[in-house]
Amino acid sequence: MRSRFDVVVIGAGPSGSSAAYRLAQKGFKTLLVEMESLPRTKSCAGMLPPKIRRAIKIPHHLVQRPIEGYMVFAPGESATIRFPHDSGYTVDRGSFDLWLAEEAVEAGSRLMQGTNVLGIKQAKRDTVVFTTSGRYYAKYVVGADGVRSRMRKSLGLHAPSKDQLAFTYQMVFEQDERIIDEIIGNYFHTHYDVSTVREGYLWVSPHRKRLFLGFGTPLGEVQITPRGIIRGFTELERVKLLIKDAKLIKEEAYLIPNSGPYEELGRGRILFVGDAGGFTHPFTGEGIYYAILSGQAAAEAISTHKLGDELTQLYEQIVEKYGLLRLRGLVEERKVKLRGNEAIRRYVQGLKILSTHTS
């Protein structure tokens, strides 16, 4: 007997679980396949902006720290940007991703963990998904398998080029909650300086009892060793005080897309979401919110798809309706606003003026 589903979703990150949740809610027999066992470690600063509330309702127990805004630093300039209405959050990605997958299961999806997808093959009626646990047949497939998507490669679609990727690196420290409260509080810190990070920034992301210090920059713009960049960052007085007597827990490096949604968002009855579709903000590197929206958009495309219609075209229309295609245009904005420290100072000055008008 064939293991047949309406939809197979590959990858139980925010985009995949969001797609599976929406599809199961709509009555689709959905299989959610994850190569690791949840909860798993995910390299991420864990910052969720206030607009995340438009997409999902996050339970209080997942919130590491409410985030009231950003503190932005540049050579000779700084600005405090307070969110005008609701706060953002920091979350632990392992716990957050597990909760999203459990929500998908609660809605009716089947979750299969510890299963690698080996390849896919589109037939006239079904798509066959080959895994280490056997073959699965589905009318639709959602690829949520990350920046190095094996599914894209299996279909012969382009892999992201060096120009479409950013390199990120961070150190995670355990620190006394009172020290975090006193020195940084509920603000996400961003630091711009082209002498260390080009077309990107350094960050401090405060959690309840942990600090995430990292940076992100286009892959081709890494000028010195990652540890050297962070070492220089920790020499700043405010950062030095923040991590004094803190315990280094781990160091991690990872790649993210940084050019907005890819031109090829699907093929046949297969759609790509999250990092596999390039859904990150090219300027800030923000990915969780856009991953969730892309998963919801894929679910809407599949649930409204009619025989004879081109699924990828329908998906792109919905992605545009969700405001996600505009991300492609932000690459040039990043290049202009972050091309040098003088341009960065003007950018931060603009943020300061904008914050006074919205506060």
Side-chain angles (χ1 to χ4, degrees):
M1 182 177 177
R2 290 186 172 187
S3 296
R4 194 177 191 287
F5 294 84
D6 296 321
V7 188
V8 172
V9 180
I10 301 172
S15 61
S17 291
S18 296
Y21 172 77
R22 286 287 179 94
L23 288 162
Q25 273 192 323
K26 294 176 183 293
F28 285 77
K29 185 181 179 183
T30 305
L31 174 65
L32 179 58
V33 181
E34 169 57 41
M35 66 181 291
E36 299 184 50
S37 295
L38 300 173
R40 45 145 166 73
T41 300
K42 172 66 177 178
S43 299
C44 181
M47 172 63 191
L48 300 177
K51 60 188 175 185
I52 194 72
R53 299 166 190 264
R54 304 175 200 165
I56 56 172
K57 184 177 180 180
I58 299 173
H60 181 72
H61 75 271
L62 289 176
V63 176
Q64 284 287 313
R65 183 174 288 266
I67 300 297
E68 298 171 15
Y70 294 94
M71 294 191 74
V72 185
F73 300 90
E77 191 60 81
S78 65
T80 299
I81 316 299
R82 186 178 177 88
F83 297 137
H85 303 297
D86 297 316
S87 64
Y89 311 107
T90 50
V91 295
D92 171 73
R93 275 297 302 275
S95 302
F96 182 70
D97 287 10
L98 173 62
W99 170 73
L100 286 172
E102 289 174 340
E103 288 288 290
V105 171
E106 183 69 22
S109 297
R110 176 183 168 188
L111 174 62
M112 182 179 295
Q113 303 181 60
T115 300
N116 283 315
V117 173
L118 305 175
I120 52 178
K121 181 180 179 181
Q122 293 193 86
K124 186 174 182 180
R125 180 183 174 189
D126 289 326
T127 296
V128 187
V129 181
F130 300 91
T131 78
T132 50
S133 299
R135 297 183 183 184
Y136 298 91
Y137 299 81
K139 185 176 180 181
Y140 301 100
V141 174
V142 176
D145 55 338
V147 66
R148 295 295 196 187
S149 171
R150 182 175 289 181
M151 279 186 59
R152 293 189 72 90
K153 185 176 181 180
S154 180
L155 290 173
L157 298 178
H158 85 283
S161 66
K162 191 175 182 179
D163 292 338
Q164 293 177 300
L165 295 172
F167 174 79
T168 63
Y169 176 89
Q170 68 180 4
M171 292 181 172
V172 182
F173 293 87
E174 196 170 84
Q175 180 59 290
D176 189 297
E177 187 174 357
R178 292 170 299 177
I179 293 176
I180 299 175
D181 290 341
E182 290 171 6
I183 297 177
I184 191 171
N186 296 336
Y187 281 83
F188 189 97
H189 283 211
T190 59
H191 295 248
Y192 294 92
D193 187 345
V194 297
S195 66
T196 52
V197 175
R198 295 177 183 271
E199 283 191 41
Y201 62 92
L202 297 116
W203 66 75
V204 181
S205 177
H207 288 224
R208 187 176 297 120
K209 295 181 179 180
R210 288 191 173 186
L211 293 162
F212 291 67
L213 274 65
F215 73 89
T217 186
L219 186 56
E221 296 289 349
V222 181
Q223 303 296 311
I224 58 178
T225 65
R227 284 184 178 177
I229 292 173
I230 295 295
R231 192 177 302 117
F233 188 36
T234 59
E235 289 303 310
L236 295 175
E237 190 61 31
R238 71 181 75 88
V239 180
K240 187 185 295 185
L241 288 172
L242 193 57
I243 63 170
K244 183 181 179 182
D245 299 324
K247 180 182 178 182
L248 178 62
I249 302 297
K250 59 182 176 179
E251 301 174 58
E252 48 198 14
Y254 50 105
L255 296 176
I256 60 172
N258 77 332
S259 61
Y262 299 142
E263 292 298 325
E264 299 171 297
L265 291 177
R267 176 171 290 180
R269 296 184 299 277
I270 301 170
L271 301 177
F272 293 97
V273 297
D275 283 2
F279 289 95
T280 57
H281 195 293
F283 200 110
T284 66
E286 181 185 333
I288 301 174
Y289 171 70
Y290 298 106
I292 290 171
L293 281 190
S294 69
Q296 294 175 349
E300 183 176 334
I302 289 170
S303 63
T304 58
H305 181 236
K306 296 178 181 178
L307 187 65
D309 289 347
E310 215 286 312
L311 179 63
T312 302
Q313 186 177 46
L314 175 61
Y315 178 45
E316 288 176 348
Q317 291 170 355
I318 295 170
V319 163
E320 184 171 21
K321 181 182 74 173
Y322 283 23
L324 298 177
L325 290 187
R326 69 176 182 83
L327 296 174
R328 291 173 178 165
L330 297 179
V331 176
E332 192 57 36
E333 181 180 338
R334 181 190 73 217
K335 292 179 180 295
V336 170
K337 290 184 176 179
L338 303 183
R339 69 176 180 270
N341 281 341
E342 184 55 41
I344 290 171
R345 276 192 288 271
R346 290 196 297 270
Y347 165 60
V348 176
Q349 288 167 357
L351 291 178
K352 187 184 294 186
I353 294 170
L354 182 63
S355 69
T356 60
H357 290 164
T358 56
S359 59

